[in-house]
Amino acid sequence: MSDSGPVTREERALPPGLLLPLSTIGSFPKPERLKQARAEFTRGRLDASSLRRIEEEETTACIRLQENLGLDLLVDGEMYRGDMTAYFAENLEGFRISGLVRSYGNRYYRKPVVVGAVRWSRPITVEWFRFALGQTARPVKAILTGPYTMMDWAFDEHYGSRESLALALADVVRQEAEALVAAGARHVQIDEPAISVRPGEIDLAIRAMHRVTDGLRARTITHICYGDFPAIYPRLLDLPVEQFTLELSNSDLGLLELFGTSPFTKELGAGVLDVHSHTIEPVELVKERILAALRVVPASRLYVNPDCGLKTRSPEEAEAKLRNMVAATREVRRTL
Ligand SMILES: [Zn+2]
């Protein structure tokens, strides 16, 4: 992997005065060719460097796509990641990965098991972050899985306390975040989809996030999927991040009504594409969603993005949805 060379922080800021910056949550669909290569690798029929080359080519293609669509804050697309918790667990000390576990229906996944003290021994995502940065002149958002979610989705055989494990994981996520900032990341998103599922532990999630973001020299963002928001709002706003990227469209913009009960004080990355639906939302509908978000959050604090990661959509669906999101945002920008 080639080194992209020194990158100054100033070079990678969003254009000054840009309203409604366009971004995504993190994952893009994996092309068929990459899925096949990963399967061949698992069967021992493809070597690691060949798989790596394909992952690099698809990462570059994903960056090109985002540029061509007109997105402002890019992501690396996560071509090299499988599951969002297992990927980090595989690269940290203290974890082993279980055999296949059945979740709902016929879905199987590998669950991370904590078998010792969790430790960060080397950067996990930094090389890929630098690679992505080397493919574009635009800023790239770094994406990490948050400590609360890592804890909630792992099976603990060592700490015996959800709190101890979450705080230990917060320390390792902090180390990774620091390494990303040193590599030029100005936007760091710490995904915490599990928060909205267990409202009773919101205080622990907030404590853990403090360990990750306090004093971190980057714009901090968290992504939380739809869940029991009424139970954690407005306490949720005490999460120490500057921006929330939230699923709005899948809930028919119900969250925006909730923000009417107590002002939403952060930047909002408004989810204006339902990633669970095959439907390509027309530009007019996406525009309505952006305008609805603008009635709750001023333009100076609004970003535009899909509800969630795009990995469950086909490459064609993801591209068509994003195309309409960009067109709708440009139309709204002209009215501001
Ligand atoms: Zn999500």
Side-chain angles (χ1 to χ4, degrees):
M1 184 172 293
S2 65
D3 191 307
S4 60
V7 175
T8 69
R9 307 175 120 244
E10 288 68 30
E11 279 172 339
R12 299 310 175 95
L14 288 165
L18 173 71
L19 285 177
L20 314 185
L22 284 152
S23 193
T24 58
I25 300 305
S27 68
F28 271 70
K30 288 191 174 63
E32 208 46 51
R33 156 183 198 243
L34 176 56
K35 286 187 203 163
Q36 277 171 17
R38 289 174 80 103
E40 293 287 290
F41 174 73
T42 307
R43 291 188 204 107
R45 297 211 292 250
L46 187 75
D47 62 50
S49 66
S50 302
L51 175 61
R52 184 84 176 195
R53 196 180 61 246
I54 292 169
E55 288 171 342
E56 288 185 10
E57 286 169 7
E58 293 303 335
T59 300
T60 303
C62 184
I63 295 273
R64 276 297 87 70
L65 172 68
Q66 294 172 74
E67 285 184 336
N68 292 339
L69 285 168
L71 301 182
D72 304 298
L73 179 57
L74 311 192
V75 296
D76 71 20
E78 304 180 9
M79 295 299 148
Y80 56 94
R81 297 188 200 185
D83 175 87
M84 65 181 282
T85 43
Y87 171 72
F88 286 97
E90 280 162 8
N91 288 285
L92 288 167
E93 285 178 32
F95 280 96
R96 75 175 169 81
I97 306 298
S98 77
L100 288 173
V101 175
R102 189 170 186 167
S103 64
Y104 2 74
N106 284 320
R107 289 188 57 200
Y108 289 83
Y109 67 105
R110 293 179 194 280
K111 199 172 174 86
V113 185
V114 181
V115 293
V118 295
R119 281 200 196 90
W120 182 91
S121 51
R122 63 193 155 77
I124 301 168
T125 58
V126 172
E127 239 185 302
W128 279 110
F129 178 79
R130 292 181 70 90
F131 178 81
L133 213 53
Q135 309 302 316
T136 179
R138 296 185 198 181
V140 177
K141 174 166 72 169
I143 317 281
L144 298 174
T145 303
Y148 180 80
T149 297
M150 288 277 294
M151 176 277 289
D152 193 46
W153 290 358
F155 188 75
D156 176 26
E157 290 180 352
H158 176 77
Y159 286 85
S161 142
R162 291 171 65 81
E163 181 184 5
S164 308
L165 175 54
L167 296 177
L169 284 164
D171 290 338
V172 304
V173 176
R174 171 60 180 242
Q175 285 174 285
E176 182 69 10
E178 292 276 9
L180 284 161
V181 171
R186 290 183 54 124
H187 298 80
V188 179
Q189 178 177 295
I190 301 112
D191 291 343
E192 287 287 22
I195 285 184
S196 63
V197 183
R198 291 180 182 266
E201 287 185 318
I202 183 72
D203 291 346
L204 174 56
I206 290 170
R207 280 177 63 204
M209 188 65 88
H210 270 288
R211 289 200 183 193
V212 179
T213 61
D214 282 359
L216 190 73
R217 289 171 304 119
R219 188 154 220 83
T220 51
I221 301 161
T222 192
H223 171 66
I224 303 173
C225 301
Y226 195 71
D228 192 1
F229 274 85
I232 51 175
Y233 192 80
R235 176 68 171 135
L236 184 67
L237 298 173
D238 291 332
L239 267 171
V241 294
E242 288 155 290
Q243 182 182 140
F244 286 71
T245 53
L246 299 174
E247 280 193 6
L248 300 184
S249 301
N250 189 238
S251 66
D252 279 333
L253 309 183
L255 271 182
L256 294 179
E257 280 168 42
L258 186 62
F259 300 159
T261 64
S262 180
F264 188 81
T265 52
K266 309 271 186 173
E267 287 180 351
L268 174 63
V272 298
L273 298 174
D274 182 353
V275 302
H276 302 295
S277 159
H278 294 284
T279 307
I280 311 301
E281 291 98 332
V283 173
E284 212 41 47
L285 175 59
V286 181
K287 245 175 96 175
E288 280 168 28
R289 289 171 176 171
I290 298 169
L291 292 171
L294 276 169
R295 286 193 283 276
V296 176
V297 176
S300 58
R301 282 198 272 123
L302 190 69
Y303 282 56
V304 177
N305 43 255
D307 269 9
C308 195
L310 291 162
K311 69 177 172 188
T312 55
R313 296 277 57 83
S314 73
E316 296 75 18
E317 284 169 346
E319 183 173 343
K321 279 173 172 273
L322 290 171
R323 199 173 291 289
N324 286 0
M325 180 180 93
V326 173
T329 303
R330 285 181 176 159
E331 286 188 24
V332 175
R333 276 176 185 164
R334 281 197 283 274
T335 68
L336 295 172

